[in-house]
Amino acid sequence: QVQLVESGGGLVQAGGSLSLSCAASGRTFSSYTMGWFRQAPGKEREFVAAISRNSGYTYYAGSVKGRFTISRDNAKNTVYLQMNSLTPEDTAVYSCAAKTGWVTATAMFANEYPYWGQGTQVTVSS
């Protein structure tokens, strides 16, 4: 089992950048695929990005590709989400999640991830 804690959210103007972190407990972090999801008020949870356990594979939602970068540092038990060129449409609660195994076709499905953090709010003002 792994416990996840996100940080780094906040308020930023459109066009700005934010970097989110997700710290994981336990000594098996390197065995997990990690994902970032977001949920805006009144909307369903949405996939953002995922990274395989050794960073060999990454996958992005079309809406963030080219603007967001997911990375991880297994020595620090941390996964990151660098967000650039933010727009008001990126406003949401961002959560990290963990699962075992990597299959590109299922990396974007929230129900594949059994472990979740509590989320961090990102607000982009226009």
Side-chain angles (χ1 to χ4, degrees), residues 83-94:
M83 306 184 294
N84 300 327
S85 302
L86 286 161
T87 74
E89 288 69 38
D90 294 314
T91 295
V93 174
Y94 284 70

Side-chain angles (χ1 to χ4, degrees), residues 8-9 19-20 27 38 44 48 53-56 58 66 70 74 82-83 91 94 100-101 116-117 126:
S19 181
L20 304 183
R27 292 178 290 180
R38 66 187 182 186
E44 293 188 354
V48 176
R53 60 179 185 170
N54 60 359
S55 302
T58 57
I70 188 171
N74 287 342
Q82 177 65 42
M83 306 184 294
T91 295
Y94 284 70
T100 56
W116 290 82
S126 57

